[in-house]
Amino acid sequence: MDHHIKECNLVKFIKASTRAIIKNMEKKIKLHLGCGTNYKEGYVNVDSSSFVRKDLLWDLDKTPWPFKDNSVDYILANAVIEHLSDFKSFMEETHRILKEGGELYFRVPLAFTHVDSKDTTHKQHLTPDSFNHFTKGGKRSIITKVKFKGKIWITPILFHRLRFHKNLYYLNSLINNIFTGVEGRLRKI
């Protein structure tokens, strides 16, 4: 019983702290979703693990997220989308909370490469084409109304600063694991 009271007080403290952080931040609100051990100053760091430093304890599979519509300027989602149960819900929630012109930057492992396959916690296996329903490249989606515009590219292992056209991921079918990551910078439209 005493443990439960301490846990409830901790949750209340975290919620109050998060509200204070968001209130006191400058006009630009930046989220770091799935921050893990990479806590970033100037961001609201969100994670579902009780073992890492974060500003908000939240399971991103639980929607709606605790942010108002059109309230966030920038979202960083590095190595998190592949761990979620519902990719479509993730994209729709980011679209909901981003301000018009707000930006989502993401990095995920390229589907079925060794980087993707070795992690048994991956629930999504994504390629650049996985994002077509949410970009102008998809023209008319049959699953969602949300739209982003921007760039998506692929990256080779260990050299994420080298970026290649997204359609080159087909080469991985011939010579496995040239490219291991999918990255993108999308703006809400």
Side-chain angles (χ1 to χ4, degrees):
M1 183 69 168
D2 195 33
H3 174 70
H4 179 70
I5 292 170
K6 287 180 182 177
E7 193 172 289
C8 288
N9 287 336
L10 179 62
V11 169
K12 287 178 185 175
F13 172 77
I14 290 171
K15 285 181 180 179
S17 298
T18 302
R19 278 189 228 106
I21 288 168
I22 292 172
K23 227 179 216 183
N24 293 330
M25 288 182 80
E26 296 176 12
K27 290 182 181 180
K28 298 247 183 224
I29 295 178
K30 301 187 295 186
L31 300 182
H32 184 195
L33 301 180
C35 65
T37 59
N38 187 17
Y39 186 91
K40 291 189 173 293
E41 294 295 332
Y43 285 76
V44 176
N45 294 272
V46 180
D47 206 288
S48 63
S49 172
S50 56
F51 303 109
V52 299
R53 180 180 174 202
K54 68 206 144 295
D55 302 308
L56 177 62
L57 178 67
W58 190 264
D59 178 355
L60 294 172
D61 276 325
K62 181 182 174 190
T63 59
W65 297 344
F67 301 97
K68 293 179 181 176
D69 294 1
N70 305 303
S71 63
V72 175
D73 296 281
Y74 182 82
I75 296 174
L76 172 62
N78 188 6
V80 66
I81 300 171
E82 65 274 15
H83 296 279
L84 302 176
S85 296
D86 191 343
F87 173 55
K88 177 179 172 269
S89 288
F90 174 86
M91 295 299 289
E92 289 177 339
E93 276 299 286
T94 58
H95 192 273
R96 179 185 70 77
I97 66 173
L98 279 170
K99 293 177 181 176
E100 193 73 27
E103 191 171 83
L104 164 65
Y105 173 82
F106 65 88
R107 180 185 299 157
V108 297
L110 182 59
F112 309 114
T113 60
H114 72 282
V115 173
D116 179 48
S117 325
K118 71 180 180 179
D119 191 332
T120 58
T121 65
H122 290 182
K123 297 174 184 173
Q124 303 294 321
H125 306 281
L126 303 164
T127 70
D129 291 340
S130 302
F131 294 86
N132 283 350
H133 284 288
F134 308 98
T135 63
K136 284 185 158 186
K139 298 203 179 24
R140 278 185 35 198
S141 173
I142 60 169
I143 66 166
T144 188
K145 292 181 180 180
V146 305
K147 286 292 181 205
F148 293 90
K149 65 179 178 179
K151 295 254 185 223
I152 296 174
W153 54 88
I154 55 173
T155 58
I157 191 165
L158 302 177
F159 298 101
H160 292 287
R161 298 229 186 267
L162 293 175
R163 295 173 173 164
F164 296 88
H165 190 274
K166 65 181 183 176
N167 289 340
L168 286 178
Y169 83 90
Y170 289 111
L171 284 177
N172 271 14
S173 301
L174 303 172
I175 306 170
N176 197 18
N177 297 319
I178 297 172
F179 304 106
T180 57
V182 179
E183 293 184 38
R185 188 174 303 275
L186 303 175
R187 288 197 182 281
K188 176 179 176 177
I189 55 172

